[in-house]
Amino acid sequence: MQPPPPMTMIPDPADARNATFVFLQEDHTLGNALRYMLIKHPKTHFCGYSIPHPSEAKMHFRLQSSDPELSAKDLLHEGVDSLKEMLHHIDSEFTKELARFQAAQPTQTGPASQSQSAPIDKE
Amino acid sequence: MEKKLPAHLEEQRRFVHVGEEFPSDATTLSGADTFQTLGVTQHWDLKEFQEHFKFEILRLTPDEIQFDLIGIDPAIANAFRRILIAEIPTVAIETVYVENNTSVVQDEVLANRLGLIPILVNPALLQDRKPGDAPTDQDTIVFKLNVKCTRRPGIPEDSANEEKFVNSSVYSGQLQWIPFGDQQARFGECPPRPVHHDILIAKMRPPQAMELQCFAIRGIGKDHAKFSPVATASYRLMPRVRLAKPVEGPAAESLKEACPLGVFDIEDGHAFVKNERNCSMCRECIRSVWRDRLGAEESAKLKDAVSLGRIKDHFIFTVESSGILSPETLFKQALEILMAKLERIEGDLLQL
């Protein structure tokens, strides 16, 4: 479980707006989350990812920007930043909700009190 | 999104529709320019996200959490689920040195069984061991299992095995932690042990015995499922059940009966949706099979009465811990791991 080798970029020699980023030891977890954020970016012309071979821990992330002033590299950076903003918000909401929920619960002292929390969702 | 989509498109964008034969509108339409031709854009907008996002805990027990995530995309929900299953580190037995094993369980099967036992250790107190490195007290926890099955003297032959023999069953609770280096001080307050003491490892008869040393290391579920910190981590979309027209009298009675999960109930002779969340999309309420048995008149009243669907951005998560980390810690760690991935990319981008 070592940190993965750094991400690399396969640039388009003719146009900085286009690039493919190669992530080692990453998969759909990161690929799809990032893709979602980038297709919501107003300056994304194209964004997609693929895992070229299932037995190779490698993810290709293709990105094309529609703005000549915005390189693929900077666009990816903006996508990453937006995703971070989102996670920060989820994190703070989670912390708030957990505190609220725990405050609302009767203090649990032993296994006996566990039975108090009746299942809300019957599945 | 300043301009609104026409109602029928908004309906398709927000909900999955479940028909008698198949679901429709199941795709996610979250792209910025999906509805550009209609003058509607869906650019990322933090404010808008913050307005719509909701986190609601429904249930929290020592080993299970159930919560609603409202206002997020499947890509994000799925990232959490995948990280919960495969990327949160825990400690499990990786190597077993067998000094003696005369039980009927073969060494390799025994080692596999030992690996799957959840070990209660705070994973943060241990470092990762690089493959090929020698184990040290910083990255390895050692357990000893030394049991011998013997006969208790003077017990009649027709008694139960547990009475006749000592150690006829070997349980996880018999694993003994052997501290090395500074481990006694580091783990002293909460000595490493299996989460459950009553997991059956093997059965033996006199004079079988086993003498083993087990080396536990930190790892993640991606490497081997034994490191996964969850028993299950899954989500489903929130059901949406609506009555398109009033249902009353015997038809209401039949509708209530038809649903095996008690979604519908009756008030003043009228059927109403009481328990949307319970719906399992079995589609019994929209099937014609039982409806037709009611006769033409009642059947017509029920035709197209129920509209079934799911809300595309409302996820009901259920996460059950394997007992090593508390369920609320699990979600917190999933967030941290995803965040760490993004921070790593930012670092890598600066190096490019």
Side-chain angles (χ1 to χ4, degrees), chain B residues 21-210:
Chain B
E21 304 287 334
F22 53 83
S24 44
D25 308 320
T27 48
T28 313
L29 305 166
S30 48
D33 302 334
T34 310
F35 300 109
Q36 201 179 28
T37 44
L38 297 164
V40 176
T41 50
Q42 307 184 90
H43 298 151
W44 170 247
D45 182 347
L46 183 62
K47 278 254 164 56
E48 202 182 297
F49 172 74
Q50 286 172 336
E51 273 165 30
H52 290 111
F53 180 75
K54 257 200 217 124
F55 198 112
E56 270 167 45
I57 297 177
L58 303 169
R59 182 170 129 92
L60 180 62
T61 69
D63 24 59
E64 198 185 60
I65 188 169
Q66 205 172 81
F67 56 88
D68 279 7
L69 275 183
I70 305 167
I72 62 167
D73 193 82
I76 309 298
N78 198 35
F80 290 141
R81 186 192 63 87
R82 290 173 63 97
I83 291 173
L84 283 166
I85 292 171
E87 298 194 44
I88 295 178
T90 66
V91 174
I93 292 171
E94 172 77 357
T95 321
V96 178
Y97 295 93
V98 182
E99 269 149 56
N100 182 26
N101 174 23
T102 51
S103 78
V104 292
V105 184
Q106 298 95 322
D107 294 358
E108 60 273 29
V109 177
L110 189 62
N112 180 268
R113 291 179 67 78
L114 287 162
L116 294 168
I117 296 170
I119 307 280
L120 190 64
V121 180
N122 180 359
L125 295 177
L126 225 58
Q127 290 167 7
D128 289 323
R129 190 165 94 200
K130 288 197 199 87
D133 275 10
T136 72
D137 59 337
Q138 297 302 309
D139 56 30
T140 308
I141 284 173
V142 180
F143 290 93
K144 185 178 82 175
L145 186 63
N146 197 349
V147 278
K148 188 172 168 43
C149 182
T150 52
R151 187 178 285 274
R152 280 201 184 93
I155 306 283
E157 199 46 46
D158 56 354
S159 325
N161 286 329
E162 282 70 32
E163 288 168 31
K164 276 191 297 183
F165 310 120
V166 182
N167 289 330
S168 61
S169 300
V170 183
Y171 290 103
S172 56
Q174 288 169 284
L175 284 165
Q176 257 184 310
W177 172 49
I178 320 252
F180 279 97
D182 68 347
Q183 287 182 347
Q184 186 69 62
R186 250 190 314 146
F187 297 104
E189 277 183 16
C190 182
R193 62 172 175 88
V195 174
H196 308 280
H197 62 85
D198 55 353
I199 300 171
L200 183 64
I201 298 171
K203 288 194 170 188
M204 299 200 292
R205 291 292 175 268
Q208 294 167 359
M210 53 175 74

Side-chain angles (χ1 to χ4, degrees), chain A residues 13-35:
Chain A
D15 196 340
R17 289 183 301 174
N18 311 336
T20 299
F21 299 90
V22 182
F23 294 85
L24 295 174
Q25 290 172 38
E26 290 296 352
D27 51 22
H28 303 280
T29 307
L30 185 69
N32 200 19
L34 260 186
R35 187 199 73 103

